[in-house]
Structures are given as structure tokens and as C-alpha cells.
Amino acid sequence: MHVPDGFLNAPTSAVAGVVAAGAIAVGLRGARRELDERTAPLAGLVAAFVFAAQMINFPVAAGTSGHLLGGALAAILVGPCTGILCISVVLLVQGLLFADGGLTALGVNITLMAVVTAVVAYAVFRGLVKLLPRGRRTVTAASFVAALVSVPASALAFTLLYAAGGTTDVAIGKVATAMVGVHVLIGIGEAVITALTVGAVIAVRPDLVHGARDLRQPLRLRVNGELVDVPDAPKDPEPESAPATARSHRPLWITGLITSLVLAGFVSFYASADPDGLERVAQDHGIDKTEKEHAYADSPLADYGVKDVANERLSGGLAGVIGVGVTVAAGSGVFWVVRRRRTAAAGSGGSAESTGSAASSSSSSGSRTV
């Protein structure tokens, strides 16, 4: 659902840009709370995986395809604020290097594909998790439904933007029906990919899935025929933190990176060549008449191929590998900085607290002396 330049007028694109910028600012602040020493390195990997998965269009109807949006997946795995940043990084890489999605429409695409999908999906996910029995299957099922809902929600958001600032004279009712209808089908594919991915991660490292962090079942014992909660053991920070720190995220990171490279470098060659949902609707209703050529249409990586590489398979594969590399590097860099700022803030707070405690102790000591 990459909106190109020319579909929306300048004022609407500008407003969407302001919304996107505000969401990114909130995301940067919120990501400091969501990321820790275990999950921060994985956020960049999530962005790279979404980039790779978006290269694989799957057929959803005659002459129409769809691809992963990724907002639901990112929000559930690393948190809604971090998820918005993940998809924003992907869209920025796609727009600047691969001429995918307009530059003046970058704010529109971030609003639709990052903000709307992540916010809607995580709201639905948390609601279902609270209603359904606690457990890993609940997380996977809730992921499926949340992802399914997020895609037509994004399509509906595009329709509202087009009603406000569309550049062609077309009946909005027809656009809404077509957009939501085809994106419900795309949402099914999104839901399957999201549920399978979340299920795979939660099977091996549930502690790294943001959406599953508070789902641990309390231990209960049967006493005189009744189930009672086991009293909490005395808290000992040292032993508690040691196992989590000792469990390295490196095997999962390496597996995820290899999977992303294979998807982008090899599997993407077999993706459907049919236009995606937005492109099909635009063609059928004349919306594409006002589409403008991308400013970077002559980029060496435009249209996900390496310029001057004649072999189509090799060209697309190299472009995919480059894209995964750039995305994981950019994403990891952003989240490393966010994580460092959180650590620095925590350290500063801790130092202030220690100073205050020392002063208090000194004061108390002086009182006892007197």
C-alpha cells in the first residue's frame, strides 16, 4: 500500500506528514520504555524482516496481489512505539533507495502503514489478550486477529485521506468499498504471516515478545480440594536477573537475519507480479491518472533491482540483500541510540538518587551525634 506522489494534494500530504512526525516523536520517547538490553538489538532485525517480507507479493484475487504491511507484527514483537519506528525505517529505506512510495507522500505512508496498523493492531491485541485465557496460544490467536483488522483499517484511513485531498474526481463510496474489500483479503495473508512469526518466536524465546511479557501463569497448588496461589518467593535481584542476562539473543538474531536474507535475496524472485491492492484500485478507478514519477526513479536500486546487472534473478536478489543490510544497520543504529539515551537517563537518575540518599544519611548521622 505504498502511496506514490500525486495521489493526494499538497495540504493533505503536509497534514499527514505532521501526524507522522508527531508519531515518530512519541515513538522515540515510548521506545525508551519498551527496549532493554535484550530486545534493543532485535528491533533492527524486526525492521529488516518486514523489509524482506514486503518484497514478497502474494496473490489475493484475479490480477491482484498483496504484501505484508508489518505494523501488527512489529508492535506485538517489540512494542507499539518501537513498532512505529521499525516500519518508519523500512519506509524511509524503500523511498530513498528503491523509489518505492513517493517522497512527498512519505508522511502519508508512515501514517497509514506504520501508525494506523501498529496502533489499531496493538489495541485489538491487548483487548483480546485480556478477554481470552492466558497462554501462548492466546498470543498467537490474538496476533492473527489483530493483524487481520489492521490492514483494512489502514485501507479505510487511505480512503478518508483521499476524500479530504484526492486529486481525481471519483466516488469515495466506490473507493472505500474497493479498498476495504481487497485489503480484507490481503489482511488474511498478513494475519497468517504475523501469527506464524509470533508463534515461532514465542516458542523459543517468549521473554523477547513484548506482547507476551505479562502472560506468565502464576503457580497454583490444590489444597483441600481448592486451588490456591503459591506465595511469592522473596525477591533477590541478583539470582533473578542472572538467567535472563545469561540467555543470549544471538541465536535468534542470526536465524532471523538469515531468514530475512533468504526471503529478500531468493524467495522474492517468485513473488506475484500482479499490482497490489492499492495499485489495482487506482487503476480500476482512474486514481493513477495523477501519479507523478518518483524523484529517485533513476536510483541504482530503483524497482528493487541493481542497475546494469542484466540477470533479473541476480539483480533482484542483490537488491534485496542490500536492502536487508541497510535496513538492519539503520534500524539497529536508531534503537542503539534510543537504548543508550534510556541507560544514560537511568544512570543520571540513579546518581541523583544516590546523592540524595548520601545527603540524607549525613544529615541523620549528624542528628544522632548531637
Coordinates of all heavy atoms in Angstrom, one line a residue, residues 174-267:
K174 N -17.2 4.2 -3.8 CA -16.6 3.1 -4.6 C -15.2 2.9 -4.2 O -14.8 1.7 -4.1 CB -16.7 3.5 -6.1 CG -18.1 3.6 -6.7 CD -18.1 3.9 -8.1 CE -19.5 4.0 -8.7 NZ -19.5 4.3 -10.2
V175 N -14.5 3.9 -3.9 CA -13.1 3.7 -3.5 C -13.0 3.0 -2.1 O -12.2 2.0 -2.0 CB -12.3 5.1 -3.3 CG1 -10.9 4.9 -2.7 CG2 -12.3 5.8 -4.7
A176 N -13.9 3.4 -1.2 CA -13.9 2.7 0.1 C -14.3 1.2 0.0 O -13.6 0.4 0.6 CB -14.9 3.4 1.0
T177 N -15.3 0.9 -0.8 CA -15.7 -0.5 -1.0 C -14.6 -1.3 -1.6 O -14.3 -2.4 -1.1 CB -17.0 -0.5 -1.9 OG1 -18.0 0.2 -1.3 CG2 -17.4 -2.0 -2.1
A178 N -14.0 -0.7 -2.6 CA -12.9 -1.5 -3.3 C -11.7 -1.6 -2.4 O -11.1 -2.7 -2.3 CB -12.5 -0.8 -4.6
M179 N -11.3 -0.6 -1.7 CA -10.1 -0.6 -0.9 C -10.3 -1.6 0.3 O -9.4 -2.4 0.5 CB -9.8 0.8 -0.4 CG -9.1 1.7 -1.4 SD -7.4 1.2 -1.8 CE -6.5 1.4 -0.3
V180 N -11.4 -1.4 1.0 CA -11.6 -2.3 2.2 C -11.8 -3.7 1.7 O -11.2 -4.7 2.3 CB -12.8 -1.8 3.0 CG1 -13.1 -2.8 4.1 CG2 -12.5 -0.4 3.6
G181 N -12.5 -3.9 0.6 CA -12.8 -5.3 0.2 C -11.5 -6.1 -0.2 O -11.3 -7.2 0.3
V182 N -10.6 -5.5 -1.0 CA -9.4 -6.2 -1.4 C -8.4 -6.3 -0.2 O -7.7 -7.3 -0.1 CB -8.7 -5.5 -2.6 CG1 -8.1 -4.2 -2.2 CG2 -7.7 -6.4 -3.2
H183 N -8.5 -5.3 0.7 CA -7.5 -5.4 1.8 C -7.9 -6.3 2.9 O -7.1 -6.6 3.8 CB -7.2 -4.0 2.3 CG -6.2 -3.2 1.4 ND1 -6.7 -2.5 0.3 CD2 -4.9 -3.2 1.4 CE1 -5.6 -2.0 -0.3 NE2 -4.5 -2.4 0.3
V184 N -9.2 -6.7 2.9 CA -9.6 -7.7 3.9 C -8.9 -9.0 3.4 O -8.4 -9.8 4.3 CB -11.1 -7.9 3.9 CG1 -11.5 -9.2 4.5 CG2 -11.8 -6.7 4.6
L185 N -8.9 -9.3 2.1 CA -8.2 -10.5 1.6 C -6.7 -10.4 1.9 O -6.1 -11.4 2.3 CB -8.4 -10.6 0.1 CG -9.9 -10.7 -0.4 CD1 -10.0 -10.8 -1.9 CD2 -10.5 -12.0 0.3
I186 N -6.1 -9.2 1.7 CA -4.7 -9.1 2.0 C -4.5 -9.2 3.5 O -3.4 -9.8 3.9 CB -4.2 -7.7 1.5 CG1 -4.3 -7.6 0.0 CG2 -2.8 -7.4 2.0 CD1 -4.0 -6.2 -0.6
G187 N -5.4 -8.8 4.3 CA -5.3 -8.9 5.7 C -5.2 -10.4 6.2 O -4.6 -10.7 7.2
I188 N -5.8 -11.3 5.4 CA -5.8 -12.7 5.8 C -4.3 -13.2 5.6 O -3.8 -13.9 6.5 CB -6.7 -13.5 4.9 CG1 -8.2 -13.1 5.2 CG2 -6.5 -15.0 5.1 CD1 -9.2 -13.8 4.3
G189 N -3.7 -12.8 4.5 CA -2.3 -13.1 4.4 C -1.4 -12.5 5.4 O -0.5 -13.1 6.0
E190 N -1.7 -11.2 5.8 CA -1.0 -10.5 6.8 C -1.1 -11.3 8.2 O -0.2 -11.4 8.9 CB -1.5 -9.1 7.0 CG -0.9 -8.3 8.1 CD 0.1 -7.3 7.6 OE1 0.2 -7.1 6.4 OE2 0.8 -6.7 8.4
A191 N -2.3 -11.7 8.4 CA -2.6 -12.4 9.7 C -1.9 -13.7 9.8 O -1.3 -14.1 10.8 CB -4.1 -12.7 9.8
V192 N -1.8 -14.5 8.7 CA -1.1 -15.8 8.7 C 0.4 -15.6 8.9 O 1.0 -16.2 9.8 CB -1.3 -16.5 7.3 CG1 -0.4 -17.7 7.2 CG2 -2.8 -16.9 7.2
I193 N 1.0 -14.6 8.2 CA 2.4 -14.3 8.4 C 2.7 -13.9 9.8 O 3.7 -14.3 10.4 CB 2.9 -13.3 7.4 CG1 2.7 -13.8 5.9 CG2 4.3 -12.9 7.6 CD1 3.0 -12.8 4.9
T194 N 1.9 -13.0 10.3 CA 2.1 -12.4 11.7 C 2.0 -13.5 12.7 O 2.8 -13.6 13.6 CB 1.1 -11.3 12.0 OG1 1.3 -10.3 11.0 CG2 1.3 -10.7 13.4
A195 N 0.9 -14.3 12.6 CA 0.7 -15.4 13.6 C 1.8 -16.4 13.6 O 2.3 -16.9 14.6 CB -0.6 -16.0 13.4
L196 N 2.2 -16.8 12.4 CA 3.3 -17.8 12.3 C 4.6 -17.3 12.9 O 5.4 -18.0 13.6 CB 3.5 -18.2 10.8 CG 2.4 -19.1 10.2 CD1 2.7 -19.3 8.7 CD2 2.3 -20.4 10.9
T197 N 4.9 -16.0 12.6 CA 6.2 -15.4 13.0 C 6.2 -15.2 14.6 O 7.1 -15.6 15.2 CB 6.4 -14.0 12.4 OG1 6.4 -14.2 10.9 CG2 7.8 -13.5 12.8
V198 N 5.1 -14.7 15.1 CA 5.0 -14.5 16.5 C 5.0 -15.9 17.2 O 5.7 -16.0 18.3 CB 3.7 -13.7 16.9 CG1 3.5 -13.7 18.4 CG2 3.7 -12.3 16.4
G199 N 4.3 -16.8 16.7 CA 4.3 -18.2 17.3 C 5.6 -18.8 17.3 O 6.0 -19.5 18.2
A200 N 6.4 -18.6 16.2 CA 7.8 -19.2 16.1 C 8.7 -18.5 17.2 O 9.5 -19.2 17.8 CB 8.3 -19.0 14.7
V201 N 8.6 -17.2 17.3 CA 9.5 -16.6 18.3 C 9.1 -16.9 19.7 O 9.9 -17.2 20.6 CB 9.4 -15.0 18.1 CG1 10.3 -14.3 19.2 CG2 9.9 -14.7 16.7
I202 N 7.8 -16.9 20.0 CA 7.3 -17.2 21.3 C 7.6 -18.7 21.7 O 7.7 -19.0 22.9 CB 5.8 -16.9 21.5 CG1 5.5 -16.6 22.9 CG2 4.9 -18.0 21.0 CD1 4.1 -16.0 23.1
A203 N 7.7 -19.5 20.8 CA 8.0 -20.9 21.1 C 9.5 -21.1 21.6 O 9.7 -22.0 22.4 CB 7.8 -21.8 19.8
V204 N 10.4 -20.2 21.2 CA 11.8 -20.4 21.6 C 12.2 -19.3 22.6 O 13.0 -19.6 23.5 CB 12.7 -20.4 20.4 CG1 12.5 -21.6 19.5 CG2 12.5 -19.1 19.5
R205 N 11.7 -18.1 22.5 CA 12.1 -17.1 23.4 C 10.9 -16.2 23.7 O 10.8 -15.0 23.3 CB 13.2 -16.2 22.8 CG 14.5 -16.9 22.7 CD 15.1 -17.2 24.0 NE 15.3 -16.1 24.9 CZ 16.4 -15.3 24.9 NH1 17.4 -15.6 24.2 NH2 16.4 -14.3 25.8
P206 N 9.9 -16.7 24.5 CA 8.8 -15.9 24.9 C 9.1 -14.6 25.6 O 8.4 -13.6 25.6 CB 7.9 -16.8 25.7 CG 8.9 -17.8 26.3 CD 9.9 -18.0 25.2
D207 N 10.3 -14.6 26.3 CA 10.7 -13.4 27.0 C 11.0 -12.2 26.1 O 11.1 -11.1 26.6 CB 11.9 -13.7 27.9 CG 13.1 -14.3 27.1 OD1 12.9 -15.2 26.4 OD2 14.2 -13.7 27.3
L208 N 11.2 -12.5 24.9 CA 11.6 -11.4 23.9 C 10.4 -10.9 23.2 O 10.5 -9.9 22.4 CB 12.6 -11.9 22.9 CG 14.0 -12.3 23.5 CD1 14.9 -12.8 22.4 CD2 14.6 -11.2 24.3
V209 N 9.2 -11.5 23.4 CA 8.0 -11.0 22.7 C 7.3 -10.0 23.6 O 6.8 -10.3 24.7 CB 7.0 -12.2 22.4 CG1 5.7 -11.7 21.8 CG2 7.7 -13.2 21.5
H210 N 7.3 -8.7 23.2 CA 6.7 -7.7 24.1 C 5.3 -8.0 24.5 O 4.9 -7.7 25.6 CB 6.8 -6.3 23.3 CG 6.3 -5.2 24.1 ND1 5.0 -4.8 24.2 CD2 7.0 -4.3 24.9 CE1 4.9 -3.7 25.0 NE2 6.1 -3.4 25.4
G211 N 4.5 -8.4 23.5 CA 3.1 -8.7 23.8 C 2.8 -9.8 24.8 O 1.7 -10.0 25.2
A212 N 3.8 -10.6 25.1 CA 3.7 -11.8 26.0 C 4.4 -11.6 27.3 O 4.4 -12.6 28.1 CB 4.2 -13.0 25.3
R213 N 4.9 -10.4 27.6 CA 5.7 -10.3 28.8 C 4.9 -10.4 30.1 O 5.4 -10.9 31.1 CB 6.3 -8.9 28.8 CG 7.5 -8.8 27.8 CD 8.2 -7.5 27.9 NE 9.3 -7.5 27.1 CZ 10.2 -6.4 27.0 NH1 9.9 -5.3 27.7 NH2 11.2 -6.5 26.2
D214 N 3.6 -10.1 30.1 CA 2.8 -10.2 31.4 C 1.9 -11.4 31.4 O 0.9 -11.4 32.0 CB 2.1 -8.9 31.6 CG 1.1 -8.6 30.4 OD1 1.2 -9.3 29.4 OD2 0.2 -7.7 30.6
L215 N 2.2 -12.4 30.6 CA 1.3 -13.5 30.5 C 1.7 -14.8 31.2 O 1.2 -15.9 30.9 CB 1.0 -13.9 29.0 CG 0.4 -12.8 28.2 CD1 0.2 -13.2 26.7 CD2 -0.9 -12.4 28.7
R216 N 2.7 -14.6 32.0 CA 3.2 -15.8 32.8 C 2.1 -16.3 33.8 O 1.6 -15.5 34.5 CB 4.5 -15.5 33.5 CG 5.7 -15.3 32.6 CD 6.9 -15.1 33.4 NE 6.8 -13.9 34.2 CZ 7.7 -13.6 35.1 NH1 8.8 -14.3 35.3 NH2 7.6 -12.5 35.9
Q217 N 1.8 -17.5 33.8 CA 0.7 -18.1 34.6 C 1.3 -18.2 36.1 O 2.4 -18.7 36.3 CB 0.3 -19.5 34.1 CG -0.5 -19.4 32.9 CD -1.9 -19.0 33.1 OE1 -2.3 -18.6 34.2 NE2 -2.8 -19.2 32.1
P218 N 0.6 -17.7 37.1 CA 1.0 -17.9 38.5 C 0.9 -19.4 38.8 O 0.0 -20.1 38.4 CB 0.1 -17.0 39.3 CG -1.2 -16.9 38.4 CD -0.7 -17.0 37.0
L219 N 1.9 -19.8 39.6 CA 1.9 -21.2 40.1 C 0.8 -21.4 41.1 O 0.7 -20.6 42.1 CB 3.2 -21.6 40.7 CG 3.4 -23.0 41.2 CD1 3.2 -24.0 40.0 CD2 4.8 -23.2 41.8
R220 N 0.0 -22.5 41.0 CA -1.1 -22.7 41.9 C -1.1 -24.2 42.4 O -0.7 -25.1 41.7 CB -2.5 -22.5 41.3 CG -2.6 -21.1 40.6 CD -4.0 -20.8 40.1 NE -4.8 -20.3 41.2 CZ -6.1 -20.2 41.2 NH1 -6.8 -20.4 40.0 NH2 -6.8 -19.7 42.2
L221 N -1.4 -24.4 43.7 CA -1.5 -25.7 44.3 C -2.9 -26.0 44.7 O -3.7 -25.1 45.1 CB -0.5 -25.7 45.5 CG 1.0 -25.6 45.2 CD1 1.8 -25.6 46.5 CD2 1.5 -26.6 44.3
R222 N -3.2 -27.3 44.8 CA -4.5 -27.7 45.2 C -4.4 -28.1 46.7 O -3.7 -29.0 47.1 CB -5.0 -28.9 44.4 CG -6.4 -29.4 44.8 CD -6.9 -30.5 43.8 NE -6.9 -30.1 42.5 CZ -8.0 -29.4 41.9 NH1 -9.0 -29.1 42.7 NH2 -7.9 -29.0 40.7
V223 N -5.1 -27.3 47.5 CA -5.1 -27.6 49.0 C -6.5 -27.8 49.5 O -7.4 -26.9 49.3 CB -4.5 -26.3 49.7 CG1 -4.6 -26.6 51.2 CG2 -3.1 -26.1 49.3
N224 N -6.8 -29.0 50.0 CA -8.1 -29.4 50.5 C -9.2 -29.2 49.4 O -10.3 -28.8 49.6 CB -8.5 -28.5 51.7 CG -7.6 -28.7 52.9 OD1 -7.1 -29.9 53.1 ND2 -7.5 -27.7 53.7
G225 N -8.7 -29.6 48.2 CA -9.7 -29.6 47.0 C -9.8 -28.3 46.4 O -10.6 -28.1 45.4
E226 N -9.1 -27.2 46.8 CA -9.2 -25.9 46.2 C -7.9 -25.4 45.7 O -6.8 -25.8 46.3 CB -9.8 -24.9 47.2 CG -11.2 -25.2 47.7 CD -11.7 -24.1 48.7 OE1 -10.9 -23.2 48.9 OE2 -12.8 -24.2 49.1
L227 N -7.9 -24.7 44.6 CA -6.7 -24.2 44.0 C -6.3 -22.8 44.7 O -7.2 -21.9 44.8 CB -6.8 -23.9 42.5 CG -6.9 -25.2 41.6 CD1 -7.2 -24.8 40.2 CD2 -5.6 -26.0 41.7
V228 N -5.1 -22.7 45.2 CA -4.6 -21.5 45.8 C -3.3 -21.1 45.2 O -2.6 -21.9 44.7 CB -4.4 -21.7 47.4 CG1 -5.8 -22.1 48.0 CG2 -3.4 -22.8 47.6
D229 N -3.1 -19.8 45.2 CA -1.9 -19.2 44.6 C -0.7 -19.5 45.6 O -0.8 -19.5 46.8 CB -2.0 -17.7 44.4 CG -3.0 -17.3 43.4 OD1 -3.2 -18.2 42.5 OD2 -3.5 -16.2 43.4
V230 N 0.4 -19.9 45.0 CA 1.6 -20.1 45.7 C 2.2 -18.7 46.1 O 2.3 -17.8 45.3 CB 2.7 -20.9 44.9 CG1 4.0 -21.0 45.7 CG2 2.2 -22.3 44.6
P231 N 2.5 -18.5 47.4 CA 3.1 -17.2 47.8 C 4.4 -16.9 47.0 O 5.1 -17.8 46.7 CB 3.4 -17.4 49.3 CG 2.5 -18.6 49.7 CD 2.4 -19.4 48.5
D232 N 4.5 -15.6 46.7 CA 5.7 -15.2 46.0 C 7.0 -15.4 46.8 O 7.0 -15.2 48.1 CB 5.6 -13.7 45.7 CG 4.6 -13.4 44.6 OD1 4.2 -14.4 43.9 OD2 4.0 -12.3 44.6
A233 N 8.0 -15.9 46.2 CA 9.3 -16.1 46.9 C 9.9 -14.8 47.2 O 9.7 -13.8 46.4 CB 10.2 -17.0 46.1
P234 N 10.7 -14.7 48.2 CA 11.5 -13.4 48.5 C 12.3 -13.0 47.3 O 12.9 -13.8 46.6 CB 12.4 -13.8 49.7 CG 11.7 -15.0 50.3 CD 11.0 -15.7 49.2
K235 N 12.2 -11.7 47.0 CA 12.9 -11.2 45.8 C 14.4 -11.1 46.0 O 14.8 -10.4 47.0 CB 12.3 -9.9 45.3 CG 10.9 -10.0 44.8 CD 10.3 -8.7 44.3 CE 8.9 -8.9 43.7 NZ 8.4 -7.6 43.2
D236 N 15.2 -11.6 45.1 CA 16.6 -11.5 45.2 C 17.1 -11.0 43.8 O 17.1 -11.8 42.9 CB 17.2 -12.8 45.6 CG 18.8 -12.7 45.8 OD1 19.3 -11.6 45.6 OD2 19.4 -13.7 46.1
P237 N 17.4 -9.7 43.7 CA 17.7 -9.2 42.3 C 18.8 -9.9 41.6 O 18.7 -10.1 40.4 CB 18.1 -7.8 42.6 CG 17.4 -7.4 43.9 CD 17.5 -8.7 44.7
E238 N 19.8 -10.4 42.3 CA 21.0 -11.0 41.7 C 20.6 -12.3 41.0 O 20.8 -12.4 39.8 CB 22.1 -11.2 42.7 CG 22.7 -9.9 43.2 CD 23.3 -9.1 42.1 OE1 23.8 -9.6 41.2 OE2 23.2 -7.8 42.2
P239 N 20.0 -13.3 41.7 CA 19.7 -14.5 41.1 C 18.6 -14.4 40.0 O 18.6 -15.1 39.0 CB 19.2 -15.4 42.2 CG 19.8 -14.8 43.5 CD 19.9 -13.4 43.2
E240 N 17.6 -13.4 40.2 CA 16.5 -13.3 39.3 C 17.0 -12.8 37.9 O 16.6 -13.2 36.9 CB 15.5 -12.2 39.9 CG 14.7 -12.7 41.0 CD 13.5 -13.5 40.6 OE1 13.2 -13.4 39.4 OE2 13.0 -14.3 41.4
S241 N 18.0 -11.8 38.0 CA 18.4 -11.2 36.7 C 19.5 -12.1 36.0 O 19.6 -11.9 34.8 CB 19.0 -9.9 37.0 OG 20.1 -9.9 37.9
A242 N 20.1 -13.0 36.7 CA 21.2 -13.7 36.0 C 20.8 -14.6 34.9 O 21.3 -14.6 33.8 CB 21.9 -14.5 37.1
P243 N 19.7 -15.4 35.0 CA 19.3 -16.3 33.9 C 18.9 -15.5 32.7 O 19.2 -15.9 31.6 CB 18.1 -17.0 34.5 CG 18.2 -17.0 36.0 CD 18.9 -15.6 36.2
A244 N 18.1 -14.4 32.8 CA 17.7 -13.6 31.7 C 18.9 -13.0 30.9 O 19.0 -13.0 29.7 CB 16.8 -12.5 32.1
T245 N 19.9 -12.6 31.7 CA 21.1 -12.0 31.1 C 21.9 -13.0 30.4 O 22.5 -12.8 29.4 CB 21.9 -11.3 32.2 OG1 21.1 -10.3 32.8 CG2 23.1 -10.5 31.5
A246 N 21.9 -14.2 31.0 CA 22.8 -15.3 30.5 C 22.2 -15.8 29.2 O 23.0 -16.3 28.4 CB 22.9 -16.4 31.5
R247 N 20.9 -15.7 29.0 CA 20.3 -16.3 27.7 C 20.6 -15.3 26.6 O 20.0 -14.2 26.6 CB 18.8 -16.5 27.9 CG 18.5 -17.6 28.9 CD 17.0 -17.9 28.9 NE 16.6 -18.5 27.6 CZ 15.4 -18.7 27.3 NH1 14.4 -18.3 28.1 NH2 15.1 -19.3 26.1
S248 N 21.5 -15.6 25.7 CA 21.8 -14.8 24.6 C 20.7 -14.7 23.6 O 20.1 -15.7 23.3 CB 23.1 -15.2 24.0 OG 23.4 -14.5 22.8
H249 N 20.5 -13.5 23.0 CA 19.6 -13.4 21.9 C 20.3 -13.7 20.6 O 19.6 -13.6 19.5 CB 19.0 -12.0 21.9 CG 20.1 -10.9 21.7 ND1 20.6 -10.2 22.8 CD2 20.7 -10.4 20.6 CE1 21.5 -9.4 22.3 NE2 21.6 -9.5 21.0
R250 N 21.6 -13.9 20.6 CA 22.3 -14.1 19.3 C 21.8 -15.2 18.4 O 21.7 -14.9 17.2 CB 23.8 -14.3 19.7 CG 24.7 -14.3 18.4 CD 26.2 -14.3 18.8 NE 26.5 -13.1 19.6 CZ 27.7 -13.0 20.1 NH1 28.6 -13.9 20.0 NH2 28.0 -11.9 20.8
P251 N 21.5 -16.4 18.9 CA 21.0 -17.4 18.0 C 19.7 -17.0 17.3 O 19.6 -17.2 16.1 CB 20.7 -18.6 18.9 CG 21.6 -18.4 20.1 CD 21.7 -16.9 20.3
L252 N 18.8 -16.3 18.0 CA 17.6 -15.9 17.4 C 17.8 -14.8 16.4 O 17.3 -14.7 15.3 CB 16.6 -15.4 18.4 CG 15.2 -14.8 17.9 CD1 14.5 -15.9 17.2 CD2 14.4 -14.3 19.1
W253 N 18.8 -13.9 16.7 CA 19.1 -12.8 15.8 C 19.7 -13.3 14.5 O 19.4 -12.9 13.4 CB 20.1 -11.9 16.5 CG 20.3 -10.5 15.9 CD1 19.6 -9.4 16.2 CD2 21.2 -10.2 14.8 NE1 20.0 -8.3 15.4 CE2 21.0 -8.8 14.5 CE3 22.1 -10.9 14.1 CZ2 21.7 -8.1 13.5 CZ3 22.8 -10.2 13.1 CH2 22.6 -8.8 12.8
I254 N 20.6 -14.3 14.6 CA 21.3 -14.8 13.5 C 20.3 -15.6 12.6 O 20.3 -15.4 11.4 CB 22.4 -15.8 13.9 CG1 23.6 -15.0 14.5 CG2 23.0 -16.6 12.7 CD1 24.7 -15.9 15.1
T255 N 19.4 -16.3 13.2 CA 18.3 -17.1 12.5 C 17.4 -16.1 11.8 O 17.1 -16.3 10.6 CB 17.5 -17.9 13.4 OG1 18.4 -18.9 14.1 CG2 16.4 -18.7 12.7
G256 N 17.0 -15.0 12.4 CA 16.2 -14.0 11.8 C 16.8 -13.3 10.7 O 16.2 -13.1 9.6
L257 N 18.1 -13.0 10.8 CA 18.8 -12.3 9.7 C 19.0 -13.2 8.5 O 18.8 -12.8 7.4 CB 20.2 -11.9 10.2 CG 21.1 -11.1 9.2 CD1 20.4 -9.9 8.7 CD2 22.4 -10.8 9.8
I258 N 19.3 -14.5 8.8 CA 19.4 -15.4 7.6 C 18.1 -15.6 6.9 O 18.0 -15.6 5.7 CB 20.0 -16.8 8.1 CG1 21.4 -16.7 8.6 CG2 19.9 -17.8 7.0 CD1 22.0 -17.9 9.2
T259 N 17.0 -15.7 7.7 CA 15.7 -15.8 7.1 C 15.4 -14.6 6.3 O 14.8 -14.7 5.1 CB 14.6 -16.0 8.2 OG1 14.9 -17.1 9.0 CG2 13.2 -16.1 7.6
S260 N 15.7 -13.4 6.8 CA 15.4 -12.2 6.0 C 16.2 -12.1 4.7 O 15.7 -11.8 3.7 CB 15.7 -11.0 6.9 OG 15.0 -11.0 8.1
L261 N 17.5 -12.6 4.8 CA 18.3 -12.6 3.6 C 17.8 -13.5 2.5 O 17.8 -13.3 1.3 CB 19.7 -12.9 4.0 CG 20.5 -11.8 4.7 CD1 21.8 -12.3 5.2 CD2 20.7 -10.5 3.9
V262 N 17.3 -14.7 3.0 CA 16.8 -15.7 2.1 C 15.5 -15.2 1.4 O 15.3 -15.4 0.2 CB 16.6 -17.0 2.8 CG1 15.8 -18.0 1.9 CG2 17.9 -17.7 3.2
L263 N 14.6 -14.6 2.2 CA 13.4 -14.1 1.7 C 13.6 -13.0 0.6 O 13.0 -13.0 -0.4 CB 12.5 -13.5 2.8 CG 11.9 -14.5 3.8 CD1 11.2 -13.8 4.9 CD2 11.0 -15.5 3.1
A264 N 14.5 -12.0 1.0 CA 14.8 -10.9 0.1 C 15.6 -11.3 -1.1 O 15.4 -10.8 -2.2 CB 15.4 -9.8 0.9
G265 N 16.6 -12.2 -0.9 CA 17.6 -12.5 -1.9 C 17.2 -13.6 -2.8 O 17.7 -13.7 -3.9
F266 N 16.3 -14.5 -2.4 CA 15.9 -15.6 -3.2 C 14.4 -15.8 -3.4 O 13.9 -15.8 -4.5 CB 16.5 -16.9 -2.5 CG 16.1 -18.2 -3.3 CD1 16.7 -18.5 -4.5 CD2 15.1 -19.0 -2.8 CE1 16.4 -19.7 -5.2 CE2 14.8 -20.2 -3.4 CZ 15.4 -20.5 -4.6
V267 N 13.6 -15.9 -2.3 CA 12.2 -16.1 -2.4 C 11.5 -15.0 -3.1 O 10.5 -15.2 -3.8 CB 11.6 -16.3 -1.0 CG1 10.1 -16.6 -1.1 CG2 12.3 -17.5 -0.3

